[in-house]
Amino acid sequence: MMRIKSRCIPLLLYLLFFCGCENSADSKKSHQQVEYIERLHHQKKWTPLAPQKKAMPRYAWETEIPAPFPNITKEYFRCRGSVMNPTRYIHKSHALERLEDCGGSTSHSLPLKNGKEFIYPILIDLMNYLQKTTRHKVVITSGHRCPKHHQYARIDGQSLHSKHMLGAETSFYVQGFEHEPEKIVELLMNYYQNPKYTNEYTDFQRYMRDDVDVSTLPWYNKEIYIKLYLEGEGRDFDNRHPYPYIRIQVRYDRDEDKRVLFNWDLAEKNYLRL
Ligand SMILES: [Zn+2]
């Protein structure tokens, strides 16, 4: 057997190393794929579009200037009754009738609809619209009235029926416009000047009958009825302030496609006693 001299070992290792590397490089080359460029350097397969400057989408609070007051919600329409209000006496058939107020929102809920407290949405929308357009505070003096508070608050001789009990009526004035209520009426009519409304909503009529308790002819469209109470008119218990004020009644329920009519059964039963 041939013996390998120890001085030859480095030479053998050197040869093995280089032979191995050479084989590995050949193997890599065999797997390489070459793709040839089929165009000249000045030729382009497509022309990139020039970048267009695009404005960032605006957030809601950037496009719409919010009213400088919190949004009006149904909370603003809670009954104004209070056990702190004094007993009132009114003349009735040669006798005095004693009237006590209700306990207000601590004693009962708003009207209920499908198990939830409810105020006609158009009233809430109109109040917020006025606040946004005038940028002045809307003061709701009377929203929901339970039957007990309505009887307590109404003027002697005024009807016992009221859509206040259904959450379909509100009285209010706008701070800063106390003595310009006609401008507020105009804004209420402007609310409906929108392509989504038909003529029945955009065209307001004047109520020409004489069975009203105001000196200004009321206005109405299909959905609402607007009354303007001047100074000295309609001073019920909820409206003891010195300003003219506006009362809006809902005439038509757009969601249910039917007229809104007062009925005692609904007025008496549609709220929770707490
Ligand atoms: Zn009440």
Side-chain angles (χ1 to χ4, degrees), residues 188-189 192 201-206 219-221 224 226:
L188 289 171
M189 292 192 269
Y192 288 94
Y201 293 88
T202 55
D203 296 341
F204 275 81
Q205 311 288 320
R206 301 303 290 270
W219 299 259
Y220 68 94
N221 69 353
I224 59 168
I226 306 170

Side-chain angles (χ1 to χ4, degrees), residues 41-185:
H41 73 282
H42 65 277
Q43 292 175 323
K44 294 174 183 171
K45 279 192 170 178
W46 56 278
T47 307
L49 296 170
Q52 300 289 320
K53 192 176 180 182
K54 192 175 176 184
M56 286 284 287
R58 297 178 77 84
Y59 291 104
W61 58 83
E62 292 177 315
T63 52
E64 196 174 287
I65 302 169
F69 309 102
N71 268 359
I72 288 173
T73 64
K74 60 187 175 189
E75 294 301 317
Y76 288 62
F77 291 79
R78 291 200 180 274
C79 183
R80 296 286 190 277
S82 167
V83 289
M84 301 298 286
N85 287 334
T87 303
R88 291 185 70 204
Y89 295 91
I90 59 166
H91 291 278
K92 197 172 182 182
S93 306
H94 309 293
L96 282 177
E97 186 183 4
R98 179 190 168 102
L99 296 174
E100 302 284 351
D101 202 1
C102 76
S105 59
T106 57
S107 67
H108 64 80
S109 71
L110 289 172
L112 299 177
K113 185 175 180 181
N114 300 326
K116 291 183 179 174
E117 291 192 309
F118 177 78
I119 292 291
Y120 277 84
I122 185 61
L123 295 180
I124 300 173
D125 285 354
L126 286 169
M127 298 300 104
N128 281 310
Y129 171 77
L130 289 177
Q131 241 179 205
K132 278 182 187 170
T133 48
T134 61
R135 303 190 62 73
H136 284 74
K137 188 176 180 181
V138 170
V139 179
I140 296 172
T141 53
S142 186
H144 172 230
R145 285 182 181 179
C146 66
K148 190 173 183 179
H149 181 63
H150 178 62
Q151 193 162 4
Y152 178 86
R154 76 192 176 98
I155 303 166
D156 198 3
Q158 195 179 15
S159 171
L160 278 170
H161 296 190
S162 169
K163 289 186 184 175
H164 277 295
M165 291 182 240
L166 310 181
E169 185 165 343
T170 186
S171 308
F172 69 96
Y173 64 88
V174 181
Q175 285 182 349
F177 288 82
E178 290 92 339
H179 300 290
E180 298 174 295
E182 295 85 359
K183 283 189 179 174
I184 301 302
V185 173

